[in-house]
Amino acid sequence: MNDKNNEINRLNFEDILWVIFIILSILNIVSNDNQKKYVISDNQYYEDNANKISIFVLIVLLCIYLYFFLRNYNMYTNKGIEATNTDLIKVIGSILFILGTICLLYFQVNSEDNFIGGPAL
């Protein structure tokens, strides 16, 4: 019974993460709106605001992806010899999401070419 409660608690926590993901998507829409205002007005405030929102979104996404990596890795190692190739692929996929987010974050922080548009979730 304790395993079932732990599984339900994990799933409830992940529901919260999905709500956060939806909020981050809305923030990306706000960021894109600021980018549009920047293109129209050439007011640096809007571009700076869009950049700050994008960086915030990427940092929160990195935290979420780290959680999913740890979850997938723990599930993989707990299976031990019973682990399959698909379990390993799930862990590798989680690592790739983390690496992709780090690359996007690096670009967002260091880009000087005024790229218009937010990061991909």
Side-chain angles (χ1 to χ4, degrees):
M1 187 66 171
N2 194 28
D3 285 340
K4 288 183 181 182
N5 285 338
N6 288 339
E7 191 71 13
I8 295 297
N9 288 336
R10 180 187 62 80
L11 290 170
N12 287 335
F13 176 73
E14 289 178 8
D15 286 345
I16 293 168
L17 291 181
W18 291 120
V19 170
I20 292 170
F21 196 87
I22 291 168
I23 292 168
L24 294 176
S25 297
I26 292 169
L27 284 173
N28 267 338
I29 293 170
V30 171
S31 176
N32 280 348
D33 188 54
N34 276 289
Q35 289 283 349
K36 290 174 193 173
K37 290 176 182 176
Y38 169 71
V39 169
I40 292 168
S41 69
D42 205 26
N43 185 338
Q44 190 64 38
Y45 167 80
Y46 294 117
E47 184 181 36
D48 293 344
N49 197 34
N51 191 45
K52 288 176 186 175
I53 292 171
S54 295
I55 289 170
F56 173 77
V57 166
L58 287 169
I59 290 170
V60 174
L61 278 175
L62 185 59
C63 294
I64 291 172
Y65 292 151
L66 284 169
Y67 163 79
F68 282 117
F69 164 73
L70 291 173
R71 181 205 64 184
N72 294 340
Y73 180 76
N74 286 333
M75 287 181 176
Y76 175 74
T77 56
N78 287 340
K79 284 187 176 182
I81 198 160
E82 301 292 321
T84 64
N85 285 338
T86 54
D87 294 320
L88 179 60
I89 289 170
K90 194 173 185 179
V91 172
I92 293 170
S94 298
I95 292 169
L96 293 175
F97 268 103
I98 291 168
L99 291 175
T101 304
I102 291 170
C103 289
L104 288 171
L105 185 59
Y106 177 84
F107 172 81
Q108 196 69 39
V109 170
N110 295 301
S111 179
E112 296 179 12
D113 64 354
N114 295 333
F115 176 78
I116 303 296
L121 298 180

